[in-house]
Amino acid sequence: MPKPKAKATRKPRARPKSRAPNPESQVQRLALHDLKAPVGSHRARIRKGRGPGSGIGKTAGRGGKGQTARQGGKVRPGFEGGQMPLIRRIPKRGFTNLVKQAAQVVNVRHLVDVAPVGAK
């Protein structure tokens, strides 16, 4: 009977020596014209009302019928849906005097210029 062949043993390969990192090669200089946004940070704007496949077609996020579904369908500030508005519910106090004169600020050092000559 022939003798079985001996398995060839592989000699371990010598690993390449890692070179010391060059500090100048790792540092990249930044300039304003090199800056750009990371990939995926900006999304395309939503195009409303462009069909059912867009996911925001037909009513385009406005719901069904009604005032707010219409173009320009907003309510004025302070409107509470027919309920008496807060500004009309709270009591009013006082009044505005229409003939009131506003006070003027005058520095004392300027009074010398206005005082008549020889006044004590």
Side-chain angles (χ1 to χ4, degrees):
M1 213 151 108
K3 211 172 169 188
K5 287 186 176 179
K7 249 186 175 175
T9 58
R10 288 179 27 185
K11 199 163 73 172
R13 259 196 292 176
R15 294 172 64 194
K17 292 182 182 179
S18 62
R19 294 169 24 180
N22 185 358
E24 292 178 1
S25 65
Q26 290 179 348
V27 177
Q28 289 183 339
R29 292 191 54 166
L30 288 179
L32 285 176
H33 65 272
D34 290 333
L35 298 178
K36 60 182 180 180
V39 177
S41 65
H42 291 285
R43 300 176 71 179
R45 69 177 181 86
I46 294 175
R47 299 183 67 216
K48 289 179 148 187
R50 295 297 184 271
S54 69
I56 195 158
K58 194 182 169 196
T59 55
R62 289 176 175 262
K65 302 180 228 175
Q67 182 178 11
T68 55
R70 311 289 188 233
Q71 182 177 359
K74 299 184 187 83
V75 294
R76 66 184 178 274
F79 184 69
E80 298 182 14
Q83 172 177 301
M84 183 60 66
L86 179 68
I87 194 66
R88 292 184 62 193
R89 287 197 305 260
I90 59 175
K92 310 301 181 284
R93 295 283 183 254
F95 70 101
T96 304
N97 187 354
L98 298 177
V99 293
K100 179 175 111 176
Q101 292 183 349
Q104 256 329 310
V105 178
V106 179
N107 288 337
V108 177
R109 68 173 184 254
H110 295 306
L111 291 177
V112 176
D113 300 334
V114 180
V117 180
K120 290 187 182 183

